[in-house]
Amino acid sequence: MRFPIMCSPATIVVSLILIASAIQSTPAEAGLITINTLETEYTAGQAFDFTVEMPDIISLFAYEISLHLTSNVGTAGVDYYFADASPASSNYLFAATTNFADTTVIDSPSLSRMTISDIDDVLGTDIVSGVNGQIANVQIMTAANFAGELEISVDLNGLFLDTLNLSDFSLSSVTEYDSIVNETLAADPTRISSAASTVVPEPSTAVIALIGLVGVALARRRGMARDVSPRQIRG
């Protein structure tokens, strides 16, 4: 006969503590901060818009996100630059946008930086992608004669995603922070090319020479036709 294994209350408590500790030590999985563009090309001299989206986060109280805009040609702030930013018009992270702010600086001749931030009026909101995951609408401008490739990325050194500890009103990174950093770091930057312009190819030297020869042949043929008398035609 087999007897059921009996565990003491102390053993059960220790087991529960170990399970809870293992759960807490496991990093929360999230996604990445996404840059969404409707177009893959920009038209020089015209505004180019894109949106920024947040992954799922539990109890987000404040955020600060820095975006980089770079190119391998031209000068940041002259040939390309961040022109404007506004909180998403729908599905925004927080219930209000009163504290939304954006600033733009030129870090170097090839780098323009925009920082967007906000603080939640209700002291913490759960972010759900597709429901309230939209952060901002951002606008880029380029010079009318600029044709270089643009690259947009998230500066992870300037990323702050904080939750508010109500016990002492201190701030700490959200539990999903490390996962978001890793996912965003693994993603490729967003690249935007100049809109392709239709160029009429110039004729090659051989084609020009051929056209010239055809012209000469036609001229000779017309000359020969004028030299033939009506008697010669009647035979």
Side-chain angles (χ1 to χ4, degrees):
M1 180 179 295
R2 301 180 63 182
F3 296 94
I5 299 175
M6 302 297 292
C7 296
S8 66
T11 302
I12 295 175
V13 170
V14 171
S15 299
L16 291 175
I17 292 175
L18 292 174
I19 293 172
S21 176
I23 293 174
Q24 291 178 356
S25 63
T26 302
E29 294 186 1
L32 70 157
I33 297 174
T34 308
I35 294 172
N36 298 312
T37 61
L38 296 178
E39 304 289 342
T40 58
E41 296 179 337
Y42 69 88
T43 300
Q46 298 183 14
F48 180 90
D49 298 319
F50 67 90
T51 62
V52 186
E53 185 175 355
M54 193 81 80
D56 293 355
I57 295 178
I58 296 175
S59 191
L60 178 66
F61 170 66
Y63 71 84
E64 182 173 295
I65 300 172
S66 290
L67 303 173
H68 280 178
L69 175 64
T70 61
S71 180
N72 58 350
V73 297
T75 303
V78 177
D79 295 304
Y80 56 91
Y81 52 91
F82 288 110
D84 189 32
S86 58
S89 57
S90 61
N91 299 334
Y92 184 62
L93 303 176
F94 302 145
T97 60
T98 309
N99 303 314
F100 182 89
D102 66 278
T103 58
T104 302
V105 296
I106 305 301
D107 282 351
S108 73
S110 62
L111 173 60
S112 177
R113 175 198 300 271
M114 170 174 277
T115 301
I116 52 180
S117 61
D118 200 356
I119 299 174
D120 189 13
D121 285 340
V122 298
L123 307 184
T125 297
D126 291 344
I127 309 303
V128 179
S129 180
V131 177
N132 63 331
Q134 296 296 320
I135 305 173
N137 302 313
V138 182
Q139 189 176 86
I140 291 173
M141 283 295 296
T142 58
N145 60 347
F146 181 73
E149 182 181 66
L150 297 173
E151 183 176 290
I152 309 169
S153 60
V154 178
D155 175 22
L156 296 175
N157 292 322
L159 177 63
F160 297 92
L161 304 172
D162 292 334
T163 188
L164 179 66
N165 301 311
L166 297 178
S167 59
D168 57 2
F169 292 97
S170 62
L171 295 178
S172 60
S173 296
V174 297
T175 56
E176 300 87 354
Y177 183 84
D178 289 341
S179 176
I180 292 173
V181 168
N182 292 333
E183 291 282 346
T184 305
L185 182 64
D188 292 330
T190 299
R191 295 182 176 87
I192 312 165
S193 301
S194 175
S197 58
T198 303
V199 179
V200 178
E202 296 183 0
S204 64
T205 303
V207 172
I208 294 174
L210 179 59
I211 292 174
L213 291 174
V214 172
V216 171
L218 289 174
R220 288 179 178 177
R221 186 176 182 85
R222 293 192 186 98
M224 291 176 62
R226 285 195 295 270
D227 291 341
V228 177
S229 63
R231 181 177 296 178
Q232 289 176 317
I233 295 175
R234 288 194 296 269

